[in-house]
Amino acid sequence: MHSSQHFERYNLLNGVWDEMYAKNHLIRGHYQKVIDYLSQESPEDLSRKEELAKRLFMTQGITFTVYNSGEGIEKIFPFDIIPRIITAEEWAFIERGIKQRLTALNLFLKDIYHNQFIIKDGVVPIDIVYSCPHFLREMYQLNVPYDVYVHIAGIDLIRDYDGTFYVLEDNLRTPSGVSYMLENREITKRLFPDLLPNCNVRSVTEYPSILYKNLMSLSPRQMSNPTIVLLSPGIYNSAYFEHTTLARLMGVELVEGRDLVVNNHTVYMKTTTGLQQVDVIYRRVDDDFLDPLVFNPNSVLGVAGLMGAYRKGNVAIVNAIGNGVADDKATYIYVPDMIKYYLNEEPILKNVPTHRLSNADDREYVFKNINKMVIKKTNESGGYGMLMGHAASDEEINKYKQEILKDPRSFIAQPTISLSSAPCYIGGELQPRRIDLRPYALCGPDGIEIVPGGLTRVALTEGSLVVNSSQGGGSKDTWVLNPTTDQ
């Protein structure tokens, strides 16, 4: 059988933007080379590549942990071998939009932890900020190096039925997944060694070096070789694979809280030759657990006295503490207003229309139309705590409504967005599955850099709109083409 039959049997989803096919089954130009290549591959060849990818993920221990019923289950991250392709023009638009958005969000964080002009001018309601559990008074009037609060951001993007990009979430605390972006590319190089250069795909491998450069620049001590560490909660954290990968690629020490100590407002790392002063901490520990003297007193993941050292300016912490107030899903509603307020510009990337359930009118509308809504908790991530109205039973909906009425501030609702589809190799043939995209932006003293690519997450279950790995999703390599080759 000629494998082009895979494409002939590819059934487009009604009312869904497909990344590979335009209307009437016309191939989008930037997918042509991949289709030509795959058409020369037999189904057996593609199945062998799929098996090879699984073995590579297994042997390299590329895993994540799913928390279920209080237990952590370590799993291999599902990977689809067919790349998702983004044109240079699309990418330029995404890049401009993310840079604009992050610039405004950084200004917002500086503002609310200092003068709070945006609250005084009535652009963002005061209750949104002060009712957010991640607004930390400990950060008030604390200056951070170069006024950069968000050093690493993962901005979740989706496409609606007409191909319009929307920002679904801003992840400004400890966004994860970048190691899978890097590993997906390495696996794809093994599977399709000729196809990447033939398609002139842009590289993503510079991510660790850009991150390292930015971390170096934040050192309070003016020296050529500051001590940088990656602070991890440890092996039971869902992203521990990522922590080890990034530390290895940057050549920095991977530490846990017990490896550090604070003395006289200075952070030190315990080494076999004695204490070594630490200048920069790339922390993957949440705010609440960073310093038991200031935040959660029961935390054993952080370092006693760390906040004091941070306030004295003796150590830089990445991302800044207290960023959660900016990526709270209730704050998300006001990001377009922030862009207009701080930058005097129209937002380039759109928000998904979002309802605050603490607003009685919004809540009434959402309850009447709950079958068309996705309801989320404002401070949950990973796809936990969501209600997909169209797929929920009456009992589930009623139970969820009761939860909302108890604490409406903690919920928002959005209309169900169809999410674009992309071809995935499943069961020996190509099938459309829903996808999103998380590009990673790095902010340093010299500006914002975005590696051309990101993590394309896939809802591998047929008919599903949930792409989170913790909810059964997988990923695929993301190709951003050079300007000269994408038409």
Side-chain angles (χ1 to χ4, degrees), residues 419-448:
L419 299 189
S420 62
S421 62
C424 297
Y425 192 70
I426 297 172
E429 61 182 14
L430 290 180
Q431 300 181 30
R433 288 291 186 271
R434 308 302 184 93
I435 58 169
D436 77 350
L437 174 66
R438 177 178 290 182
Y440 295 91
L442 295 165
C443 310
D446 299 326
I448 301 171

Side-chain angles (χ1 to χ4, degrees), residues 218-235:
L218 299 173
S219 172
R221 290 191 295 173
Q222 298 298 312
M223 57 192 302
S224 61
N225 191 26
T227 300
I228 301 168
V229 300
L230 193 156
L231 176 61
S232 168
I235 60 171

Side-chain angles (χ1 to χ4, degrees), residues 41-60 76-77 79-82 187 190-192 425-428:
E41 297 273 294
S42 70
E44 291 75 21
D45 288 337
L46 290 180
S47 294
R48 275 195 290 272
K49 290 182 187 298
E50 187 183 33
E51 281 304 311
L52 174 61
K54 286 179 183 173
R55 285 203 304 275
L56 290 170
F57 270 77
M58 180 73 77
T59 55
Q60 294 179 29
I76 299 298
F77 197 42
F79 172 74
D80 179 68
I81 62 173
I82 310 298
I187 300 290
R190 295 280 299 273
L191 301 180
F192 306 110
Y425 192 70
I426 297 172

Side-chain angles (χ1 to χ4, degrees), residues 175-459:
S176 62
V178 74
S179 60
Y180 302 119
M181 174 189 81
L182 299 170
E183 294 295 342
N184 287 353
R185 178 57 52 84
E186 292 306 309
I187 300 290
T188 306
K189 285 178 183 173
R190 295 280 299 273
L191 301 180
F192 306 110
D194 300 328
L195 195 52
L196 280 149
N198 286 343
C199 291
N200 210 355
V201 178
R202 295 176 66 181
S203 169
V204 296
T205 55
E206 62 271 28
Y207 180 90
S209 60
I210 298 172
L211 175 59
Y212 182 71
K213 176 195 72 175
N214 286 351
L215 295 176
M216 287 267 290
S217 69
L218 299 173
S219 172
R221 290 191 295 173
Q222 298 298 312
M223 57 192 302
S224 61
N225 191 26
T227 300
I228 301 168
V229 300
L230 193 156
L231 176 61
S232 168
I235 60 171
Y236 297 110
N237 185 265
S238 62
Y240 187 68
F241 167 78
E242 176 151 303
H243 304 165
T244 60
T245 300
L246 289 176
R248 173 174 53 82
L249 291 174
M250 289 192 292
V252 305
E253 294 290 339
L254 178 68
V255 300
E256 298 179 23
R258 61 192 174 187
D259 299 317
L260 303 178
V261 64
V262 175
N263 185 22
N264 195 24
H265 301 300
T266 304
V267 183
Y268 295 93
M269 175 172 58
K270 301 169 189 171
T271 75
T272 53
T273 56
L275 297 179
Q276 180 177 343
Q277 185 172 343
V278 173
D279 301 285
V280 183
I281 299 175
Y282 174 27
R283 54 77 177 242
R284 299 297 295 259
V285 174
D286 292 342
D287 290 350
D288 283 350
F289 300 96
L290 271 179
D291 183 348
L293 297 183
V294 178
F295 303 115
N296 186 339
N298 298 317
S299 172
V300 293
L301 302 177
V303 189
L306 181 59
M307 193 65 194
Y310 187 46
R311 288 196 70 90
K312 287 281 186 182
N314 292 336
V315 67
I317 296 179
V318 173
N319 282 337
I321 297 169
N323 281 6
V325 66
D327 69 6
D328 183 298
K329 291 182 179 65
T331 308
Y332 159 91
I333 296 169
Y334 299 94
V335 176
D337 295 326
M338 290 178 203
I339 292 169
K340 293 174 188 171
Y341 180 75
Y342 292 120
L343 307 178
N344 195 26
E345 296 174 3
E346 287 297 316
I348 296 170
L349 288 167
K350 296 181 178 180
N351 264 21
V352 175
T354 303
H355 303 275
R356 280 177 62 191
L357 297 190
S358 56
N359 180 299
D361 292 341
D362 279 17
R363 193 165 60 246
E364 183 181 355
Y365 174 82
V366 169
F367 279 8
K368 283 182 180 173
N369 296 278
I370 203 161
N371 292 328
K372 302 174 189 172
M373 295 286 172
V374 178
I375 303 181
K376 302 175 181 176
K377 294 184 176 177
T378 52
N379 289 296
E380 285 280 6
S381 59
Y384 293 102
M386 283 200 311
L387 178 82
M388 307 289 286
H390 71 282
S393 67
D394 289 344
E395 184 182 355
E396 288 170 327
I397 288 173
N398 287 332
K399 189 177 174 184
Y400 214 86
K401 281 182 176 177
Q402 294 306 313
E403 275 195 64
I404 292 168
L405 291 171
K406 286 179 193 170
D407 183 17
R409 162 64 176 82
S410 294
F411 295 87
I412 55 102
Q414 296 171 327
T416 307
I417 302 290
S418 69
L419 299 189
S420 62
S421 62
C424 297
Y425 192 70
I426 297 172
E429 61 182 14
L430 290 180
Q431 300 181 30
R433 288 291 186 271
R434 308 302 184 93
I435 58 169
D436 77 350
L437 174 66
R438 177 178 290 182
Y440 295 91
L442 295 165
C443 310
D446 299 326
I448 301 171
E449 295 179 76
I450 307 174
V451 176
L455 182 66
T456 291
R457 299 183 297 181
V458 185

